[in-house]
Amino acid sequence: MKILSLVLALLALAVVASHDVPSPEQYWNNKLPNTPMPKVVQEILPSELLEEKSTSVNVGKGGVHVNTGKGKAGDGTHVNVGGKGGGVSVNTGHKGKPVHVNVSPFRYNYAATENQIHDDPNVALFFLEKDMHPGATMTLHFTETTEKPTFLPYQISQSIPFSSNKLPEILNKFSVKPGTEKAETMKNTIKECEAPSILGEEKYCATSLESMIDFTTSKLGKIDKAVSTEVEKQTPKQKYTVTAGVERMGGEKTVVCHKQNYAYAVFYCHKSETTRAYMVPLKGADGTKAKAVAVCHTDTSAWNPKHLAFQVLKVKPGTVPICHFLPQDHIVWVPK
């Protein structure tokens, strides 16, 4: 995935340069001149890939091939996205067995699977709003994905199909074999993007930074903040304590964008007018500090009764506000 997205980003840079159109970073600055760009966005801008060394690209009829100078292309490549960014988890089991894909815990119209309840690290991200106060402790594991597919400029992303009925064409374009874990992950991302919204939710899958900005500003108007969770360093699962300085951001209208697992950067964005966003300072048992973004849903009556949050917290839909921390590669947008 990472190698393929590297190729696309490099090709996209060439196209952008030749057509004199704004880069994704320039588009951000033009549309959101007073809004600092969160770290997660900075890390997946195509321009950063210009610093990559020893990368040769060969685009032919057989697909896209890359030699990174670190052995044969594809050596050691393994898609393991479960719990590394809060997206889809993939479990292939032994060779020959079917690929199993869990749905994201941030899809509120899906029921949690049994193995997701027991194995998904994102289980710990859910909590009740009443428990978010200085001195409260929670056992958390903030993971950061090593797979960071980059954004493509709008013009490029629009030229690439993104729909279930075009899946064979998409897989062929990325030289991904049907039935593999990569193929199932891409298929699942598209499927979830095409699923209907729950009551009171407006959703959109952004396949470029430009389209994410356009959707967000169309729903919220002027943007005050675009923020993500930031952790000092990667740590094992440990106890965190909420420290002084919990800050509520904005009112009850937000757009939250969840990073998806795909060949290039795709974000599942949804707007709700029954949410409260907070910046929560945390300190780990080992001293690690974090500024975690928490989103609290004040109306969960339309969620699937078997959603992961209800099963973990032992509450029923529509009874109490349910909160969750955002993984490091997700974004909450707050209007002015």
Side-chain angles (χ1 to χ4, degrees), residues 10 32 46 50 67 69 71 113 117-118 144 161 164 166 176 198 229 245 292:
L10 291 171
L32 306 168
L50 291 177
N67 185 346
T113 61
I117 295 170
H118 292 96
E144 186 174 10
S164 294
K166 294 286 187 178
V176 176
I198 64 173
T229 293

Side-chain angles (χ1 to χ4, degrees), residues 304-319:
N304 190 310
K306 293 186 178 180
H307 184 270
L308 181 65
F310 300 134
Q311 299 193 54
V312 170
L313 300 174
K314 308 300 182 185
V315 296
K316 295 183 178 180
T319 55

Side-chain angles (χ1 to χ4, degrees), residues 47-239:
S47 57
E48 293 202 2
L49 294 175
L50 291 177
E51 298 177 0
E52 294 286 338
K53 309 297 182 183
S54 306
T55 302
S56 60
V57 181
N58 176 25
V59 183
K61 293 181 179 180
V64 183
H65 307 279
V66 181
N67 185 346
T68 61
K70 297 180 181 179
K72 295 181 181 179
D75 279 359
T77 301
H78 178 65
V79 178
N80 179 16
V81 294
K84 292 186 177 293
V88 182
S89 66
V90 178
N91 179 10
T92 58
H94 296 291
K95 186 175 181 181
K97 291 188 177 181
V99 176
H100 175 73
V101 181
N102 281 336
V103 299
S104 165
F106 307 116
R107 303 293 187 281
Y108 306 117
N109 55 346
Y110 287 112
T113 61
E114 189 65 30
N115 70 305
Q116 186 174 18
I117 295 170
H118 292 96
D119 301 332
D120 192 340
N122 294 297
V123 166
L125 297 180
F126 288 94
F127 60 96
L128 298 178
E129 190 174 32
K130 68 180 181 64
D131 296 327
M132 185 173 54
H133 57 81
T137 59
M138 304 178 191
T139 300
L140 302 167
H141 188 200
F142 290 108
T143 59
E144 186 174 10
T145 179
T146 55
E147 296 285 338
K148 294 185 178 180
T150 58
F151 274 118
L152 296 182
Y154 177 79
Q155 292 83 355
I156 305 300
S157 67
Q158 291 299 295
S159 69
I160 301 173
F162 189 81
S163 64
S164 294
N165 60 9
K166 294 286 187 178
L167 186 61
E169 179 183 343
I170 295 169
L171 296 181
N172 181 63
K173 185 178 291 289
F174 289 102
S175 299
V176 176
K177 293 182 180 180
T180 61
E181 55 189 328
K182 291 182 183 180
E184 290 303 305
T185 299
M186 293 173 68
K187 175 183 177 181
N188 194 72
T189 291
I190 295 174
K191 179 181 177 181
E192 292 187 345
C193 286
E194 293 173 339
S197 304
I198 64 173
L199 185 65
E201 176 191 54
E202 295 180 70
K203 55 171 279 194
Y204 174 73
C205 276
T207 58
S208 67
L209 178 58
E210 293 91 331
S211 60
M212 181 163 62
I213 292 171
D214 290 347
F215 172 77
T216 302
T217 54
S218 72
K219 300 303 177 185
L220 300 180
K222 292 184 177 181
I223 303 300
D224 181 38
K225 296 178 180 178
V227 293
S228 298
T229 293
E230 293 190 12
V231 184
E232 279 186 336
K233 63 181 180 180
Q234 292 300 293
T235 64
K237 186 177 181 180
Q238 65 172 334
K239 183 177 291 185

Side-chain angles (χ1 to χ4, degrees), residues 18 26 65 79 91 102 161 184 250-251 268 280 303 314 322 328:
S18 65
Q26 291 169 333
H65 307 279
V79 178
N91 179 10
N102 281 336
E184 290 303 305
Y268 176 102
V280 184
W303 291 21
K314 308 300 182 185
I322 288 179
Q328 293 177 78

